[in-house]
């Protein structure tokens, strides 16, 4: 047996085998990150098409060579404004942003303090930077403070956290983390991938709390409905990333269609500032019904609502049952979530009608009785 066949057989036995699926049935999608339903918004599509007409299909080179378009810089100005920071820099994706920011910021002598539930791209960025990585208990500021104070770091100390956690839907205690970062002279990097467009009139959780970290990272691929990533920061950090982030330097600039789509999405958000608020109200309604039914939704306080099943096989069979009922809610298993905490991950979007939400609620009621 080849090494990969043996490894795949092992994953299958553990209930952890992943497969790419094409679904032929119409299902109500409760697993998309297209939170504001902007991916198919007419203005977003029109802006993407217009950008292709004017600029072509690709940037044609890296930003530092020949691929720097005025379109990129226009979007960067708008993203800086949205997040309330001095400037912004676009990367190829949210993953590449986190990789580029952390590998540029952190060196061998530095220590990165990372929430245990941070997204894989922050984990990989931290490891790749070669800094020492200390993981603190999820959202536990006291544990974080203990680690920071006892670190004996000779170089920079960098605290890294998601704002909205992708698999739990809860929110980091950013006011306390920011206070600690200032008191202990740490840099603070906050990943707002799931908050941009939704919290703080679209500007994210930091914006809503008036917290200004050193770097906010984000993506154009979730609430904004397209593709790409960005970091918002000071003008000097932006120049630093332009010079030091390998995932920015050695790759082609984001294609015009993606930039046009993001500009269109920002236009829509700008003209209807309460989209995020409506989404969060719908999510709270759905979450409260699940809690009343006795489901464990962790500490979700966002549009992301987990329902913890425990065993991998239970999560998978719950997801299969829901799919039969016309509801798509993907089972999330380790290593994406901790061992024994397999779950369904629901995400509410503005594409869900009240009828859709009621259908999901009644399917979950039957699931409880199964
Ligand atoms: C918290 C977080 N950060 C970053 C990313 C990566 O974003 P992108 O899909 O744009 O690469 C994700 C996406 O899954 C995420 O959940």
């Amino acid at each position: 047996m080849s090494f990969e066949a043996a490894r795949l057989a092992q994953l299958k036995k553990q209930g952890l085998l992943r497969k790419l699926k094409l679904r032929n049935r119409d299902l109500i999608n409760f697993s998309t990150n297209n939170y504001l339903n902007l991916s198919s918004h007419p203005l977003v599509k029109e802006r993407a098409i217009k950008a292709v007409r004017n600029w072509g299909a690709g940037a044609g080179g890296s930003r530092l060579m020949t691929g720097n378009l005025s379109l990129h810089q226009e979007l960067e100005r708008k993203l800086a404004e949205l997040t309330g920071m001095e400037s912004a820099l676009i990367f190829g994706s949210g993953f590449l942003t986190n990789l580029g920011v952390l590998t540029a910021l952190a060196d061998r002598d530095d220590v990165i303090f990372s929430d245990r539930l941070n997204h894989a791209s922050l984990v990989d960025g931290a490891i790749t930077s070669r800094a020492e990585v200390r993981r603190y208990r999820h959202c536990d500021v006291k544990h974080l403070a203990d680690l920071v104070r006892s670190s004996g770091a000779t170089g920079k100390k960098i605290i890294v956290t998601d704002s909205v956690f992708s698999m739990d839907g809860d929110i980091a205690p950013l006011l306390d983390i920011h206070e600690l970062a200032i008191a202990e002279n740490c840099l603070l990097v906050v990943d707002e991938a799931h908050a941009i467009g939704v919290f703080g009139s679209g500007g994210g959780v930091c914006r809503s709390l008036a917290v200004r970290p050193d770097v906010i990272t984000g993506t154009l691929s979730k609430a904004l409905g397209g593709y790409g990533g960005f970091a918002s920061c000071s003008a000097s950090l932006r120049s630093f990333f332009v010079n030091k982030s390998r995932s920015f330097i050695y790759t082609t600039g984001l294609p015009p269609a993606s930039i046009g789509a993001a500009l269109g999405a920002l236009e829509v958000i700008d003209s209807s500032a309460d989209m995020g608020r409506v989404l969060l109200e719908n999510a709270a309604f759905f979450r409260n019904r699940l809690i009343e039914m006795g489901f464990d939704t962790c500490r979700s306080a966002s549009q992301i609502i987990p329902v913890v099943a425990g065993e991998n096989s239970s999560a998978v069979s719950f997801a299969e049952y829901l799919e039969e009922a016309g509801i798509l809610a993907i089972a999330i298993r380790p290593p994406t979530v901790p061992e024994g905490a397999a779950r369904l991950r629901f995400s509410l979007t503005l594409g869900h009608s009240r009828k859709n939400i009621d259908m999901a609620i009644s399917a979950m009621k039957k699931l409880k009785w199964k």
Side-chain angles (χ1 to χ4, degrees):
M1 199 189 267
S2 65
F3 82 89
E4 70 274 22
R7 184 72 187 106
L8 288 169
Q10 191 187 4
L11 285 174
K12 190 165 182 201
K13 205 165 148 205
Q14 294 168 309
L16 293 176
L17 191 66
R18 302 172 196 235
K19 280 189 184 154
L20 293 171
K21 278 193 185 165
L22 282 177
R23 293 182 173 82
N24 306 320
R25 285 181 57 201
D26 273 351
L27 296 166
I28 305 169
N29 189 350
F30 278 93
S31 282
T32 176
N33 296 324
N34 181 20
Y35 301 127
L36 301 181
N37 206 26
L38 289 180
S39 148
S40 53
H41 190 288
L43 185 91
V44 175
K45 292 198 284 190
E46 189 197 302
R47 292 287 184 267
I49 291 163
K50 191 171 149 203
V52 173
R53 288 220 174 92
N54 289 344
W55 297 91
S62 69
R63 297 273 304 277
L64 282 168
M65 301 292 278
T66 55
N68 189 35
L69 311 177
S70 60
L71 209 56
H72 288 120
Q73 297 189 183
E74 184 187 343
L75 178 59
E76 287 172 343
R77 277 193 298 276
K78 298 231 157 100
L79 289 167
E81 205 178 296
L82 179 76
T83 48
M85 303 287 274
E86 193 180 5
S87 56
L89 183 68
I90 298 167
F91 288 74
S93 69
F95 199 109
L96 291 171
T97 307
N98 285 335
L99 205 59
V101 163
L102 291 184
T103 51
L105 280 185
D107 292 317
R108 272 181 209 279
D109 295 339
D110 301 336
V111 183
I112 294 178
F113 302 91
S114 177
D115 187 291
R116 273 201 191 146
L117 295 191
N118 274 346
H119 186 257
S121 52
L122 292 172
V123 174
D124 287 9
I127 292 170
T128 313
S129 75
R130 299 192 189 140
E132 185 189 342
V133 182
R134 313 282 313 264
R135 297 197 313 153
Y136 60 93
R137 286 192 289 273
H138 180 49
C139 289
D140 185 338
V141 183
K142 182 167 178 320
H143 189 215
L144 169 61
D146 289 346
L147 290 182
V148 168
R149 290 184 186 128
S150 63
S151 74
T154 53
K156 296 190 282 307
K157 291 174 283 186
I158 305 166
I159 300 173
V160 180
T161 183
D162 286 1
S163 62
V164 173
F165 286 85
S166 55
M167 295 299 141
D168 283 45
D170 57 346
I171 300 173
L174 285 174
L175 284 169
D176 293 343
I177 292 177
H178 187 230
E179 203 177 296
L180 177 74
I182 291 171
E184 297 297 328
N185 197 23
C186 301
L187 290 169
L188 176 60
V189 177
V190 179
D191 180 346
E192 294 255 49
H194 295 275
I196 295 293
V198 177
F199 285 82
S201 303
V205 179
C206 290
R207 180 102 200 246
S208 74
L209 297 174
V211 162
R212 249 182 170 237
D214 297 282
V215 185
I216 290 174
T217 62
T219 175
L220 310 177
S221 70
K222 300 190 193 297
L224 303 191
Y227 194 73
F230 68 95
S232 291
C233 51
S234 65
S236 67
L237 268 180
R238 181 183 184 275
S239 303
F240 179 72
F241 294 139
V242 167
N243 282 277
K244 284 288 178 192
S245 292
R246 293 166 67 85
S247 65
F248 172 84
I249 299 169
Y250 298 106
T251 190
T252 302
L254 207 62
S258 297
I259 307 286
L263 283 167
L266 293 185
E267 239 182 275
V268 178
I269 290 171
D270 204 33
S271 65
S272 38
D274 68 343
M275 292 172 96
R277 185 183 54 75
V278 173
L279 173 63
L280 291 173
E281 278 172 15
N282 293 350
F285 171 79
F286 183 57
R287 183 172 49 245
N288 289 338
R289 300 294 83 70
L290 292 173
I291 292 170
E292 281 162 16
M293 286 181 237
F295 288 111
D296 174 7
T297 59
C298 298
R299 289 186 303 166
S300 161
S302 68
Q303 73 283 11
I304 299 166
I305 306 172
V307 171
V308 177
E311 293 303 315
N312 300 336
S313 55
S314 313
V316 171
S317 66
F318 289 173
E320 282 168 359
Y321 155 75
L322 287 175
E323 196 163 331
E324 274 165 38
I327 309 281
L328 183 60
I330 304 270
I332 312 285
R333 292 165 285 171
T336 308
V337 291
E339 211 62 55
R343 65 195 62 186
L344 300 172
R345 176 187 181 273
F346 286 89
S347 50
L348 268 282
T349 78
L350 286 186
H352 294 129
S353 63
R354 185 54 184 270
K355 200 169 145 212
N356 295 154
I357 296 174
D358 287 344
M359 257 182 79
I361 292 169
S362 68
M364 287 304 282
K365 270 190 190 141
K366 288 182 199 138
L367 172 69
K368 185 73 182 162
W369 296 332
K370 255 169 68 133

